Amino acid sequence: MRKHIHKIILLLLSLQVSMAWAQERGNDTIKTDVIQVVKPYTPTISDAFKVKETPVLDDDETTAKKEIEYNIFSFPVASTFTPAKGKAAVIDKEKPAKFYDNYASLGFGSYTSILGEVYLNHELSKTDNIGGYLSHHSSQGGIDDVLLDDYFYDTNLNVNFSRKERDLSWNVEGGFKHQIFNWYGLPQPYYDITSPESQLGVSHTFYGGNLGGDISFQDSYIKKAHVMFRHFGDDYGSGENRFSADVSGDIPIADINISTKVMFDYLGGSFDRYYNVNAENKYGNFNIGLAPTYRYTQDDLTLDLGVSLFYLNDTQAKESKFYIYPNIAASYRLVDEVLIAYGGIKGGLIQNTYENFAKENKFVSPTLLITPTDQQYHGYVGLRGKVSNNVSYDIKGAYFAESNKALYRHNDIVFISPEKNYQFGNSFSVVYDDVSTFNIGGELSVDVNRNFKLGLKADFFAYSTDNESEAWNLPSITGSLFMDYQIDENWFAGASLFYVGERKDQVYETTFPVISFGSQTLDGYFDANAHVGYHINDRLSVFAKANNIANQNYQRWLNYPVQSIQILAGATYKFDF
C-alpha cells in the first residue's frame, strides 16, 4: 500500500507543475517580425533509446497459474460405408533355376582326345556331406614333325567328407593321381628320322596320393588348423614324401590381438640317380615357422605389422639355418572404393618339391636337385578400386629378391653311352641362382551385367641373375583375357586368350672338338581358345571347344612343339541322388 500512496503523490505534484508552466506561457505575445531563412532545414533522426536492462518484477506476491485438465469423450459414430477389398496385381514370375549337386561331362575331339569329369556331392544329414571328383584328359598325339611318341594321359581322383557343427567345422579328404607323358623333344636337326634314337620309347609315369584335412573353430583362440600328407613318385624309382601342418589363431596381449600362424613342413625323397652319375640322389629337410602379425585400423587405414621366423634343417647335409623375413602390408582408401592405395614388403621360405616341378614342367628328368628357395623380400605397391559397380582395376609394381630360385634348364646330351631315354637332350633339369625380379602389371575386370563378364591381365618382367647367364625359361611378358557370355536362356559362350613373351634356354654352340653352350630365344606365342554350348533342358547340355584357334605351332619348352588347332565336342548331364 505504501508504494501506491507514493505513486499518487508524485502524480499530483507533476500535474501542478505543468499547469503553472502553461499559465506562464499563456501571457506571451506573438510578434510579427519577418524571419529570413539562411539555409534550408535538414531534419535528422536521433538514435532511439533502448532499454539496457530487463525489468524485474518486484511484487510481493505472484499469482500462480491454475492448472486446467482437459478430458476427451470418445463415442462411436455410426457409418454405413464399406470399403471395397483390393485385389493384388499378378506378377509374372520366372521359373526359379534348378540347381543340381552332381554332374558328369564327357567329350571327344581331334588327336583322339578324351575329356571327362564327374563331380559328386551328397548331403548325408544337416551337418554331414560327402563328395568326390574324377577327371580324365588324354590324347593319342600326332604333333607334326615330332620324331617320338607324344601321347599323354592325366587322371585325378579326390574324395572328401565334411561336417559343420555349431562351434566348429571340419573336413577330411584323400586323392590319387596317375599321369603318363613322353620326352618327345629330341633336338633337331641333330637327330632326324633316320637316327636310331627316333625309335626310343620315352614314356614316363607319375603317380601320387594325398590324405589330409582341416578344422575351423568359432569363438576360440585357435581359428583353424590344416594337415596334409602327400606321396609322389614315378616309374624310374623316384619317391617323395611330404608332411605339412599349420595352425592359425589370435593371441590376446593386453587389449590387442596378435594373429599368429605356426607352420611345420617335412620333405624327404630320393631319385634313382643323378643325371650324369649312376648314384642314388637323396634329399630332405624340415622347417618350423612362426608368423605373428598385428593389425592396426583407423578410419581408412589398415596396417599389418608382422614378421616371419623360420628354422630350416637339411637332413641330408646335417646343416641348419635360421631365417627372418618382414611381413608388412598396408592399404589406405583415398576415395572410398574408387581408389585404394596399397603396398607391403614380405618374404618367406618356399618349399620346392619334385611334385611341384613335375606339375609345372612335365618333361623334367628324374634326377633333380631339391632345395628350398629363400625369398628374402618381396616389395610391392599398387592402386586398386572400382570405377563403377561393374568395373574394377588393379595396378601394381613389385620387386623380388630371391636366393636359390629354381630355374628350368634344358639338359645336355650324354654323347658317350647314354643309359636312360631322357639323356638325349630331351629333358630338363632344375638349377638354382640368386635372381632379382622387377615386375609391373595390372588387371581389369568388367561385369557388364549378370550375363557378360570380361577380364584382362598383363605383366612385364625384368630379371637379373648372379651365376647363370640368363633367367632360363622365365618370360618377359605375360597376358591373358577371359570372357564369358550367357547369350540367352539356352545358349552360352566364352573365350580366352593367353600370351607368353620370349624366353631363353641353354643350347649347344659347339660339340666338337670342344663343347660350349649358348642361349636360344624361344618366340613369344598367343594361344586363343573358345567354347560354345546349348542347354537342352535344365539337366542336359551340349558343348564344343576349340583350342589354339590361331593354329600356332609354338614351343612351350625348347624342342617341345604343341598340338595345333584342337576341336572337341561333348555333353554335360546334371543330376541328384
Side-chain angles (χ1 to χ4, degrees):
M1 290 296 294
R2 294 175 61 185
K3 286 185 177 181
H4 294 297
I5 292 172
H6 291 162
K7 291 180 179 179
I8 294 171
I9 293 172
L10 290 172
L11 179 60
L12 293 174
L13 290 173
S14 299
L15 290 172
Q16 185 177 0
V17 172
S18 299
M19 291 174 63
W21 181 80
Q23 292 177 359
E24 184 178 355
R25 294 285 294 177
N27 296 328
D28 293 343
T29 301
I30 301 175
K31 296 180 180 181
T32 59
D33 297 339
V34 177
I35 300 173
Q36 183 178 358
V37 178
V38 178
K39 69 175 183 177
Y41 174 68
T42 304
T44 59
I45 300 175
S46 61
D47 293 337
F49 174 75
K50 297 181 180 179
V51 179
K52 302 296 184 181
E53 298 179 359
T54 302
V56 179
L57 184 63
D58 198 20
D59 290 345
D60 292 338
E61 296 181 2
T62 302
T63 303
K65 293 182 180 180
K66 185 177 180 180
E67 295 183 0
I68 301 175
E69 294 182 359
Y70 297 91
N71 294 319
I72 299 174
F73 298 96
S74 301
F75 59 91
V77 178
S79 175
T80 59
F81 174 73
T82 303
K85 294 182 179 180
K87 185 179 181 181
V90 178
I91 301 176
D92 294 333
K93 296 182 179 179
E94 292 185 2
K95 184 179 179 181
K98 172 66 175 177
F99 295 98
Y100 296 92
D101 293 332
N102 313 276
Y103 75 87
S105 180
L106 182 63
F108 301 91
S110 56
Y111 294 94
T112 320
S113 299
I114 301 175
L115 179 64
E117 289 182 334
V118 176
Y119 176 81
L120 303 175
N121 183 65
H122 181 61
E123 187 178 274
L124 300 175
S125 65
K126 292 183 178 180
T127 60
D128 297 351
N129 278 73
I130 188 170
Y133 176 74
L134 172 66
S135 67
H136 174 82
H137 186 199
S138 63
S139 173
Q140 297 307 306
I143 301 175
D144 294 338
D145 301 324
V146 169
L147 300 177
L148 303 174
D149 291 333
D150 58 297
Y151 63 85
F152 69 86
Y153 296 85
D154 188 355
T155 304
N156 293 269
L157 172 67
N158 182 272
V159 179
N160 65 82
F161 174 84
S162 62
R163 171 172 292 180
K164 293 183 178 180
E165 300 180 2
R166 186 181 65 178
D167 298 327
L168 60 89
S169 59
W170 54 274
N171 173 72
V172 176
E173 64 175 316
F176 175 78
K177 69 169 63 175
H178 182 265
Q179 302 170 319
I180 300 177
F181 298 96
N182 283 274
W183 288 298
Y184 63 85
L186 279 181
Q188 299 185 53
Y190 187 82
Y191 298 105
D192 57 32
I193 195 172
T194 64
S195 303
E197 290 80 6
S198 63
Q199 304 301 316
L200 287 172
V202 289
S203 68
H204 56 286
T205 302
F206 297 126
Y207 59 86
N210 64 275
L211 179 64
D214 56 75
I215 185 169
S216 300
F217 299 91
Q218 300 291 333
D219 300 325
S220 173
Y221 292 131
I222 298 176
K223 297 300 181 183
K224 59 183 179 180
H226 174 79
V227 62
M228 179 65 70
F229 172 78
R230 311 184 73 93
H231 176 77
F232 184 75
D234 58 31
D235 59 344
Y236 282 77
S238 309
E240 177 182 84
N241 296 313
R242 184 183 183 185
F243 176 80
S244 60
D246 60 76
V247 179
S248 301
D250 294 334
I251 300 177
I253 300 177
D255 295 332
I256 62 175
N257 284 332
I258 304 297
S259 298
T260 305
K261 185 176 183 180
V262 180
M263 298 154 282
F264 176 80
D265 197 342
Y266 166 81
L267 180 71
S270 65
F271 295 103
D272 187 58
R273 57 173 296 149
Y274 294 91
Y275 187 74
N276 290 308
V277 179
N278 190 6
E280 188 177 21
N281 175 7
K282 290 185 177 182
Y283 60 93
N285 68 75
F286 72 87
N287 66 74
I288 302 173
L290 176 66
T293 304
Y294 167 68
R295 169 162 289 188
Y296 173 78
T297 57
Q298 183 177 6
D299 298 331
D300 295 323
L301 174 66
T302 301
L303 178 63
D304 291 333
L305 299 173
V307 65
S308 298
L309 310 173
F310 284 91
Y311 168 79
L312 173 66
N313 184 282
D314 190 324
T315 57
Q316 293 299 316
K318 308 298 182 183
E319 296 177 351
S320 59
K321 194 173 182 180
F322 188 74
Y323 299 88
I324 302 178
Y325 301 102
N327 189 12
I328 301 171
S331 65
Y332 185 77
R333 297 178 184 272
L334 298 172
V335 186
D336 295 330
E337 297 292 331
V338 177
L339 184 62
I340 302 173
Y342 66 93
I345 179 169
K346 299 185 177 184
L349 194 64
I350 301 174
Q351 183 74 284
N352 294 314
T353 67
Y354 180 34
E355 182 176 15
N356 290 342
F357 289 144
K359 182 178 180 180
E360 186 175 6
N361 185 343
K362 307 295 189 298
F363 312 110
V364 292
S365 63
T367 59
L368 306 180
L369 300 177
I370 308 293
T371 190
T373 295
D374 172 18
Q375 189 179 88
Q376 298 167 343
Y377 61 89
H378 163 212
Y380 60 93
V381 293
L383 293 171
R384 65 171 180 262
K386 292 184 176 181
V387 178
S388 66
N389 291 332
N390 300 326
V391 181
S392 61
Y393 67 92
D394 188 357
I395 303 172
K396 66 177 180 178
Y399 182 82
F400 298 82
E402 297 171 293
S403 178
N404 283 336
K405 181 178 178 62
L407 304 172
Y408 298 105
R409 191 179 69 186
H410 186 245
N411 275 328
D412 56 337
I413 300 173
V414 176
F415 293 100
I416 302 176
S417 302
E419 300 177 6
K420 300 295 182 180
N421 55 8
Y422 52 78
Q423 294 180 320
F424 297 88
N426 57 335
S427 63
F428 294 83
S429 62
V430 172
V431 295
Y432 298 88
D433 197 5
D434 296 343
V435 180
S436 299
T437 306
F438 172 75
N439 164 235
I440 184 170
E443 57 183 295
L444 182 69
S445 178
V446 181
D447 295 339
V448 178
N449 51 45
R450 295 178 56 186
N451 297 326
F452 183 79
K453 295 182 179 180
L454 177 70
L456 177 66
K457 183 178 180 181
D459 283 281
F460 168 80
F461 300 93
Y463 308 98
S464 175
T465 58
D466 281 357
N467 299 318
E468 298 294 326
S469 58
E470 299 288 349
W472 306 118
N473 282 293
L474 294 180
S476 56
I477 300 175
T478 61
S480 59
L481 183 146
F482 298 91
M483 182 185 70
D484 285 307
Y485 182 38
Q486 184 70 41
I487 302 172
D488 57 24
E489 184 179 355
N490 299 105
W491 288 95
F492 60 93
S496 61
L497 175 65
F498 300 93
Y499 176 75
V500 177
E502 293 182 347
R503 294 135 291 133
K504 294 186 177 182
D505 206 339
Q506 179 177 272
V507 294
Y508 287 104
E509 284 191 341
T510 61
T511 57
F512 183 83
V514 178
I515 296 177
S516 62
F517 296 95
S519 64
Q520 178 176 327
T521 299
L522 279 72
D523 295 333
Y525 63 87
F526 283 98
D527 193 336
N529 312 283
H531 68 271
V532 64
Y534 181 80
H535 294 292
I536 298 175
N537 52 47
D538 60 351
R539 289 179 178 268
L540 181 63
S541 60
V542 293
F543 63 86
K545 297 182 179 182
N547 297 329
N548 194 8
I549 298 175
N551 200 28
Q552 288 195 340
N553 191 26
Y554 63 84
Q555 295 185 19
R556 174 63 184 90
W557 305 99
L558 181 63
N559 299 324
Y560 279 87
V562 301
Q563 295 177 349
S564 57
I565 185 170
Q566 306 138 46
I567 305 296
L568 183 141
T572 300
Y573 182 74
K574 304 174 185 177
F575 59 95
D576 284 333
F577 289 113

